[in-house]
Amino acid sequence: MSGDLTELYQQVILDHNKRPRNRGRLPTATRVAHGDNPTCGDQCSVYVRLDGDRIAEIGFDGAGCAISQASASLMTTQVKGKTAAEVRGLYDAFHHIVTTGEAPAEISDLAAFAGVHAFPARIKCATLGWHAVLNALNGDAVPATTETRAD
Amino acid sequence: MPSVQDLRRDFPALHQQVNGRPLAYLDNAATTQKPRAVIDAIVRFYEQDNSNVHRGLHALSMRATQAYEGARERVARFIGAADAAEVVFTRGTTESINLVARGLGATLKPGDVILATEMEHHSNLLPWQQAARRSGAELRLVPVTGADAEGGLDAAALDALLTPAVKVFAFTHGSNTLGTVNPAAELCARARAVGAVTVLDAAQTVGHGAFDVQRLGADFTAFSGHKMCGPTGIGVLYGRRALLDRLEPDETGGGMVAQAGFTESRWKSAPERHEAGTPHVAGAIGLAAACDYLEAAGREAIAAHDAALARLAYDRLAELPGIRLLGTRGARGGLVSFAFADVHAHDVVTLADEDGIALRGGHHCNQPLMRKLGLASTTRASFYLYNTEEEVERMVASLRRVLKFFGAA
Ligand SMILES: Cc1ncc(COP(=O)(O)O)c(C=O)c1O
């Protein structure tokens, strides 16, 4: 297995793919958003219970490749307890990581996705769950689609 | 058929390394590689004969026109058309079907039925949805049967669906998602018995074996050059002459008009009637060269070769844990489509690419069928005359590594 591939499928990613965190519909959700990736058929729904401006609880479900599902899982662990503005900041950092491969030291968990940048076709897989949570925070009912948004 | 090793030498793109391994190109249902003869024919046209067709009296224009119309005759012979005028050049299958769907759609009214099937490519489904919406006709679909679509089209349902209200029956000859090959001649005969016009999507079959429009009996047949060793951007709508001459043109403009006035015009008859604007001359010439190439290789032999590889792949894949193989066991074209319980098709394709093996993962432009089968995507391996048993074995070995990597085996 080449360096690029082991970078892409980091242990953290394989682990989140096999044992997703916060998986499942959230009965108490106050916001829901769906993301889909029309070219791949990847899907992701994100359920959020807001407490004021903060994400008190979060869940996700969906189906798709290891990258999309692991990224959504890891995302839920990163955004819980954060405000909408903080989540946007995290997304910006994540987006920088997956598009450039550069990961600042202070955001170690998301850095697992740095290998994605060598596979441009997979960037939209990695950002799918993030688009969904941002839409949920925006109170957007429309499905996030990675085709029409800038990644 | 010449030996596969000899044939492979004709395809420059096959001879390269991908990720340090020899390329095994198993994505032929998406598009095929091009033999040197096709590439040369296109280059020769641009280097020697390039000119617009039908309009010029100078030497180059006459040569270009001769080559273009010669290509039409070549393609007509390749598909057994009675008359070269029955061959309309288009951009490909998608444009061909849109052209015929708009033309036929204009003749439909509420109460009429358009019949298609659940195994259609989006290209043979969405144009009919549009035709139904515009005309008020109803679109009905022949279901596929079996949890893995192994039962093919539902014969009993087809009996009930084929009523005299059916004005159009559009269906695919070979499914690009399942590998299933439908009994086109029989289906066309049954549709004709209720007075329906038949439209055959032959994108996956024309270049893969013997093909005779008159024996199959479809009124219209659509296919793409790029799936049969020809260039992209060229395809064909075959139609029975009387029907093509009646069909309203979809596009109007230069080249298709018999008598143009400031406020009204009259159209030429087929094929020009349906070819407005400057056609893809080089594409048609490349497609004709592809017909020559495939005929020389032997069309029956290609069909047997593709089917043997698909059978081998099917049997070897069936040994993998947690695999679902789609489509009928018999009556199969040169492709296999499969899904693993725990590994997504895109991860499969990315890892196989690492071994130099080009597969396709996704919904294959067949989203409603995927949804019905409870699948988001499948992985597909599709074969052509230049593929080898060794490539099939390499694919299976690579898939075993994929399963191990994801802890699924
Ligand atoms: C069965 C079938 N129909 C239609 C098409 C569309 O062909 P094209 O994209 O060349 O127009 C394809 C190709 O993907 C196909 O496999």
Side-chain angles (χ1 to χ4, degrees), chain B residues 228-250:
Chain B
M228 48 180 284
C229 291
T232 53
I234 189 80
V236 168
L237 175 66
Y238 159 86
R240 286 201 294 115
R241 181 99 200 236
L243 293 177
L244 276 182
D245 280 341
R246 272 210 305 277
L247 199 69
E248 266 303 290
D250 184 34

Side-chain angles (χ1 to χ4, degrees), chain B residues 359-397:
Chain B
L359 300 174
R360 177 150 298 241
H363 53 58
H364 313 293
C365 290
N366 212 320
Q367 274 179 309
L369 176 65
M370 287 294 186
R371 221 170 284 129
K372 170 168 174 156
L373 298 177
L375 289 164
S377 61
T378 71
T379 305
R380 181 182 73 189
S382 49
F383 310 105
Y384 210 16
L385 67 170
Y386 39 67
N387 291 123
T388 65
E389 290 186 4
E390 188 217 333
E391 288 175 320
V392 173
E393 297 296 350
R394 272 180 61 197
M395 170 186 76
V396 174

Side-chain angles (χ1 to χ4, degrees), chain B residues 29 92-94 121 123 172 174 176 201 203-204 224 226-227:
Chain B
T93 309
T94 303
H121 188 281
S123 293
T172 196
N176 66 304
D201 176 350
Q204 293 294 342
S224 301
H226 69 95
K227 291 183 196 283

Side-chain angles (χ1 to χ4, degrees), chain A residues 1-150:
Chain A
M1 191 131 320
S2 81
D4 275 358
L5 261 200
T6 38
E7 277 294 304
L8 178 65
Y9 293 104
Q10 295 250 340
Q11 214 45 51
V12 180
I13 295 178
L14 292 177
D15 178 53
H16 274 268
N17 180 49
K18 244 193 143 49
R19 296 186 304 112
R21 325 292 197 270
N22 301 310
R23 189 167 177 97
R25 181 181 290 268
L26 196 67
T28 54
T30 52
R31 296 279 180 83
V32 180
H34 308 283
D36 69 276
N37 190 334
T39 43
C40 319
D42 289 345
Q43 290 172 353
C44 179
S45 299
V46 170
Y47 309 88
V48 174
R49 183 170 69 78
L50 286 180
D51 179 7
D53 191 30
R54 252 172 225 291
I55 295 179
E57 280 185 281
I58 184 164
F60 85 99
D61 58 23
C65 67
I67 304 299
S68 74
Q69 300 304 298
S71 178
S73 168
L74 186 64
M75 177 276 293
T76 63
T77 66
Q78 299 292 303
V79 303
K80 203 188 267 185
K82 299 282 196 309
T83 66
E86 287 167 339
V87 172
R88 272 179 214 110
L90 277 175
Y91 171 69
D92 289 343
F94 181 71
H95 186 258
H96 183 78
I97 291 170
V98 295
T99 51
T100 64
E102 297 160 10
E106 69 273 14
I107 37 179
S108 53
D109 279 339
L110 296 178
F113 285 86
V116 172
H117 92 280
F119 297 82
R122 308 302 291 277
I123 290 172
K124 59 189 192 292
C125 307
T127 53
L128 181 66
W130 286 93
H131 287 307
V133 77
L134 290 176
N135 276 4
L137 291 173
N138 290 338
D140 239 353
V142 287
T145 146
T146 53
E147 295 296 284
T148 53
R149 277 176 179 258

